[in-house]
Amino acid sequence: MRMKTRFSTVGLLALSLTVIALVLPVFSAEIAPQLDKFQGTWVLVSGERDGKKLSDDHVKNSKITYKGNQGELTSPHQHSEPIFFEIVKIDPEKSPKEFHLVRKSGPSAGKTIVAIYEFDGNDQFRFTFDPTATTAPKDFASKEGSGLISHTWKRTKP
């Protein structure tokens, strides 16, 4: 009976690891450092939506946290509840660099949003995207009528 239990445990472990490997996106050795740059908690410094500056209240109440390829966003100008998302692709070879995420909750849940990003040192980055997931931005401008959101985030100190 002990041997049967041991084989069942080993089999269950192997199956679990296989499922995890299939579900998690694989980031190559070249991409992993880019993903690492996002890790931690960030606060919004400034932002625009559809060419209009975000209110100071929305800016000061926005934050984003990255853990691995998972994220949680608090952003009053997008949704009243936290938005959870998963990073599914990063392409630092494109110009501007691309970041693909799938929202698990909030507006456009289940859709892939293509964003562009650029770091200013290690503790600040710009990020522009279409919250409806219908277009991929070509530059960091959030012009009136574009529907795009452009954010500048600053890393919080632990």
Side-chain angles (χ1 to χ4, degrees), residues 5-71:
T5 303
R6 192 172 296 154
F7 284 131
S8 296
T9 303
V10 170
L12 184 58
L13 179 62
L15 178 62
S16 297
L17 291 175
T18 301
V19 168
I20 289 169
L22 292 173
V23 172
L24 291 177
V26 176
F27 293 101
S28 69
E30 297 82 33
I31 304 304
Q34 284 294 303
L35 181 61
D36 288 345
K37 287 176 111 177
F38 286 98
Q39 301 306 296
T41 300
W42 304 75
V43 292
L44 192 59
V45 174
S46 65
E48 288 185 359
R49 181 177 191 147
D50 204 32
K52 296 176 183 82
K53 185 179 174 184
L54 298 178
S55 72
D56 290 341
D57 190 47
H58 281 215
V59 170
K60 76 176 184 184
N61 288 306
S62 295
K63 76 173 186 172
I64 192 167
T65 301
Y66 296 92
K67 291 181 184 173
N69 71 325
Q70 305 296 307

Side-chain angles (χ1 to χ4, degrees), residues 54-120:
L54 298 178
S55 72
D56 290 341
D57 190 47
H58 281 215
V59 170
K60 76 176 184 184
N61 288 306
S62 295
K63 76 173 186 172
I64 192 167
T65 301
Y66 296 92
K67 291 181 184 173
N69 71 325
Q70 305 296 307
E72 179 180 348
L73 170 69
T74 301
S75 182
H77 61 280
Q78 293 185 63
H79 196 56
S80 60
E81 299 292 324
I83 298 169
F84 296 92
F85 63 90
E86 178 178 7
I87 301 163
V88 294
K89 180 180 178 184
I90 295 178
D91 190 347
E93 299 303 315
K94 285 203 168 183
S95 182
K97 297 173 179 158
E98 276 190 4
F99 183 101
H100 298 214
L101 61 95
V102 176
R103 286 185 170 176
K104 297 178 178 181
S105 64
S108 300
K111 293 182 181 177
T112 300
I113 294 174
V114 178
I116 56 173
Y117 72 94
E118 103 180 328
F119 278 90
D120 180 9

